[in-house]
Amino acid sequence: MTNSTSPIPHPVAGGDYLVSVPIQTALKAALYLGISEPGITSLQLAHTLQLE
């Protein structure tokens, strides 16, 4: 999975559908987006998630 194929969450607009996903899926997606954010290191992400 790459950023170019991963949709970024955005507010629902005309013609869009709101889709609910299981919490585990939402957490995995949020983690993936955090990891793939330019300029953030694994250490910074761990600190943000309080995993140090």
Side-chain angles (χ1 to χ4, degrees):
M1 184 157 67
T2 65
N3 272 347
S4 62
T5 60
S6 301
I8 303 298
H10 64 307
V12 178
D16 288 347
Y17 295 94
L18 181 62
V19 178
S20 298
V21 296
I23 188 69
Q24 187 174 12
T25 303
L27 291 172
K28 286 179 181 180
L31 179 61
Y32 175 78
L33 291 174
I35 290 170
S36 62
E37 187 174 316
I40 192 167
T41 65
S42 297
L43 184 60
Q44 289 171 320
L45 182 61
H47 180 72
T48 301
L49 297 173
Q50 299 176 352
L51 297 177
E52 295 183 295

